[in-house]
Amino acid sequence: MQPLIGVTAGEILNKGEAWAPHVYGQAHTYTDAVAHAGGAPFILPLVEEPAVLRKLYDQCDGIVLSGGNDVDPALYHTTPSPLTKDISRRRDEQEIQLLRWALADNKPVLGICRGMQLLNVALGGSLYQDVATELPDAANHCMSEDHKDFRHIAHSLRIRPDSQLAAILQREQIGTNALHHQAVKQIGDGLVATAWSDDEVIEALELPGKRFVVAVQSHPEALEAQAEPLWRGLFAVFVQSALAE
């Protein structure tokens, strides 16, 4: 069987044609990575009607909280920084609802980049709105973006030895890309930090006690096909967990 995996869509503004309708979509690397792992992915659009969202959710055996828009700082009771950009409150609210349902039903959740931040905020945590200004001693966490290459390995992660992530990857260190200007600050309720970059920025979170709730700050979906195939294990275990009862 191929489990159905819902991948959350980003809300994308057509800046060249501001009058045009927004686009709900996501990079093909997310669905590619899920398909490579044996899942059947589909994009979850933003919808107005709660009953429609619930119908879509009910089809999902697992949820990928994907990257994209910055999370609205109002959700963690903070005044927006001028550097916080491209907020989609509609997306925030829809993904928080999907996450709540998934946690209640013990469905697998994989958070990627913004998805990790959304998970953290939904469980009461907070974010650094801009790593470069709020953590001036930190490394460049937009290095892969600066290279204009999602596959650029920017730094190495240190993984907590007793974590689910270490068990999945079968190692305590792995290279990854870096395409985020925000990061986890205060950790949300029940979450555990399980990986860090050399500058101690949190790069992975897990929610113990659930079938599978793992989130990473980087974009392993852009690496698993070639640049760092070890990341395939993350998607393989996530998809496999979606088959479990």
Side-chain angles (χ1 to χ4, degrees):
M1 291 178 60
Q2 286 186 304
L4 285 170
I5 305 297
V7 179
T8 59
E11 185 170 25
I12 304 164
L13 174 65
N14 186 335
K15 295 180 180 179
E17 302 289 352
W19 54 270
H22 289 194
V23 173
Y24 300 147
Q26 202 46 266
H28 69 84
T29 46
Y30 292 97
T31 51
D32 288 351
V34 170
H36 293 162
F42 68 100
I43 302 295
L44 286 162
L46 275 70
V47 296
E48 297 282 355
E49 299 81 3
V52 173
L53 181 62
R54 181 69 202 198
K55 182 71 173 179
L56 292 169
Y57 164 80
D58 285 340
Q59 309 309 305
C60 298
D61 297 305
I63 303 287
V64 175
L65 297 174
S66 59
N69 311 80
D70 283 350
V71 176
D72 189 345
L75 292 171
Y76 48 98
H77 313 293
T78 303
T79 302
S81 158
L83 297 173
T84 292
K85 57 190 178 182
D86 197 24
I87 292 170
S88 172
R89 187 58 182 260
R90 285 188 61 206
R91 182 182 180 189
D92 293 341
E93 291 173 353
Q94 175 165 310
E95 291 188 359
I96 288 172
Q97 181 61 78
L98 289 168
L99 176 62
R100 286 173 177 163
W101 285 335
L103 294 179
D105 294 338
N106 204 18
K107 285 188 181 181
V109 176
L110 174 59
I112 294 176
C113 197
R114 164 201 156 85
M116 181 171 112
Q117 297 167 6
L118 189 284
L119 171 67
N120 189 59
V121 169
L123 294 181
S126 63
L127 304 177
Y128 293 107
Q129 293 190 58
D130 187 68
V131 172
T133 55
E134 295 184 56
L135 297 171
D137 294 330
N140 179 4
H141 284 262
C142 294
M143 187 179 296
S144 302
E145 183 177 351
D146 292 346
H147 280 75
K148 301 187 185 303
D149 185 1
F150 265 74
R151 296 169 299 178
H152 174 74
I153 302 297
H155 49 226
S156 180
L157 304 186
R158 184 181 81 256
I159 304 171
R160 181 171 162 171
D162 63 347
S163 65
Q164 189 173 5
L165 185 61
I168 289 168
L169 299 175
Q170 291 292 294
R171 58 176 50 217
E172 297 173 18
Q173 191 170 350
I174 192 170
T176 198
N177 47 17
L179 298 111
H180 63 103
H181 80 108
Q182 300 195 327
V184 167
K185 187 176 183 181
Q186 179 182 344
I187 299 174
D189 296 338
L191 293 168
V192 176
T194 56
W196 300 261
S197 48
D198 289 341
D199 53 10
E200 300 303 320
V201 169
I202 295 171
E203 290 276 347
L205 295 172
E206 296 174 12
L207 185 60
K210 293 297 182 181
R211 191 195 315 179
F212 185 103
V213 179
V214 176
V216 293
Q217 184 57 76
S218 58
H219 282 271
E221 81 286 353
L223 303 176
E224 58 86 31
Q226 184 177 5
E228 179 45 273
L230 286 170
W231 280 112
R232 292 178 187 173
L234 177 62
F235 294 93
V237 174
F238 165 64
V239 168
Q240 188 62 35
S241 72
L243 288 172
E245 293 295 335

